């Protein structure tokens, strides 16, 4: 069974209350003409509650960008999966390369966070991707499949999560892999999911992320095994994000 595609926006550390107008514009566009995709916005934690309120009744889902593995406790500044859920989130991005590189997150920690998200009833989007050095050395497939193997819990239902392939060198750079390179990596990820989860491994969408914009979205989104997109910069403005959703057709 082919999973429903997902287009998710990662606002990163951008956005103030005034930016909610962009989220409402996306919801309005979907109200006028629906989409075959599940659409989600992952604002900074400060906006999750307000965004969930602003999008109440619309099909646009709200997600977090990270969570702590523990449910509660003395972890100053951190946020648990339960707290994200309580604020109105229904999914959470985990293992983003900006957290792996900037916060020393290991595959092992990502597994614990994925388990926490599932425990709280959130759908994790688990990010993987190679650096430029790794790609140039010919290691892209080995690195990415290794991250998928090691970042997912042993027992998992394919319907409960998504994977995002985000080459580190493509994030925010304007560079994208060729369609053939994207298909090669996504096919390898699907192979790992099917081997690990059996038929259920077909149910997880594999999103592509890294410099997706209105001009390249259609080609990327229609490539084999691409089950949607995780969009950074181009998700901040509805005028960019809506055409990306529409590119799915
Ligand atoms: C991201 O960091 O998740 C991302 C896809 O960023 P951008 O679209 O800006 O490259």
């Amino acid at each position: 069974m082919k999973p429903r595609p997902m287009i998710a926006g990662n606002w990163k550390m951008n956005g103030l209350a005034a930016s909610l107008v962009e989220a409402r514009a996306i919801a309005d566009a979907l109200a006028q003409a629906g989409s075959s995709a599940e659409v989600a916005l992952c604002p900074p934690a400060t906006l999750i509650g307000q965004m969930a309120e602003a999008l109440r009744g619309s099909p646009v889902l709200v997600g977090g960008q990270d969570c702590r593995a523990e449910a509660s406790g003395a972890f100053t500044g951190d946020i648990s999966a339960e707290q994200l859920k309580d604020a109105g989130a229904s999914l959470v991005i985990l293992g983003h390369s900006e957290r792996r590189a900037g916060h020393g997150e290991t595959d092992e920690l990502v597994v614990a966070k994925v388990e926490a998200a599932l425990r709280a009833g959130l759908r994790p989007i688990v990010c993987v991707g190679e650096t430029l050095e790794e790609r140039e050395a010919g290691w892209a497939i080995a690195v990415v499949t290794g991250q998928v193997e090691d970042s997912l819990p042993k027992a998992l239902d394919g319907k409960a999560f998504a994977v995002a392939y985000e080459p580190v060198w493509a994030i925010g750079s304007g560079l994208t892999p060729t369609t053939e390179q994207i298909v090669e990596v996504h096919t390898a990820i699907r192979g790992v999911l099917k081997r690990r989860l059996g038929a259920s491994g077909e149910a997880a969408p594999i999103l592509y992320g890294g410099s997706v914009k209105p001009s390249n979205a259609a080609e990327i989104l229609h490539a084999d095994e691409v089950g949607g997109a995780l969009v950074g910069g181009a998700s901040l403005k509805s005028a960019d994000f809506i055409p990306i959703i529409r590119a799915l057709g």
Side-chain angles (χ1 to χ4, degrees):
M1 180 198 57
K2 235 179 153 208
R4 187 174 178 202
M6 178 189 284
I7 309 285
N10 175 11
W11 280 16
K12 310 193 184 191
M13 200 176 73
N14 297 295
L16 300 170
S19 319
L20 294 173
V21 67
E22 301 294 338
R24 281 197 215 94
I26 292 161
D28 287 349
L30 288 183
Q32 277 163 27
S35 166
S36 56
E38 268 188 301
V39 177
L41 288 174
C42 303
T46 49
L47 289 180
I48 288 176
Q50 291 174 74
M51 187 181 280
E53 194 54 45
L55 295 177
R56 189 184 292 274
S58 101
V60 183
L61 304 171
V62 179
Q65 300 174 10
D66 177 45
C67 70
R68 175 112 195 167
E70 292 80 1
S72 62
F75 303 110
T76 302
D78 287 348
I79 298 174
S80 71
E82 283 76 2
Q83 289 169 322
L84 290 176
K85 176 85 178 171
D86 186 54
S90 54
L91 41 88
V92 60
I93 297 168
L94 294 173
H96 191 283
S97 60
E98 286 157 13
R99 298 216 51 96
R100 290 178 185 264
H103 296 261
E105 291 199 3
T106 60
D107 290 337
E108 203 180 8
L109 182 61
V110 176
V111 171
K113 291 184 176 200
V114 171
E115 284 170 341
L118 295 170
R119 176 188 72 216
L122 296 177
R123 189 168 172 202
I125 301 174
V126 183
C127 301
V128 294
E130 82 285 0
T131 62
L132 187 58
E133 294 69 34
E134 289 164 341
R135 174 155 290 276
E136 286 176 349
W139 300 339
I141 297 289
V143 167
V144 170
T145 54
Q147 283 178 332
V148 175
E149 287 279 8
D150 295 345
S151 301
L152 296 177
K154 292 275 169 290
L156 199 55
D157 175 353
K159 288 197 285 301
F161 74 103
V163 173
Y165 167 53
E166 299 206 304
V168 178
W169 51 274
I171 292 177
S173 64
L175 302 172
T176 48
T178 63
T179 305
E180 291 69 28
Q181 288 170 325
I182 295 174
V183 171
E184 184 188 24
V185 177
H186 281 227
T187 303
I189 293 173
R190 181 66 70 203
V192 175
L193 297 181
K194 286 199 319 205
R195 192 167 45 69
R196 283 274 297 270
L197 310 176
S200 156
E202 297 271 18
I206 304 172
L207 318 185
Y208 168 78
S211 296
V212 175
K213 46 192 182 227
S215 59
N216 62 16
E219 180 168 353
I220 293 172
L221 289 170
H222 289 103
D224 278 353
E225 284 296 0
V226 174
L230 181 54
V231 184
S235 70
L236 293 169
K237 294 273 169 245
S238 53
D240 293 326
F241 198 54
I242 292 166
I244 292 173
I245 299 167
R246 296 284 174 240
L248 258 178

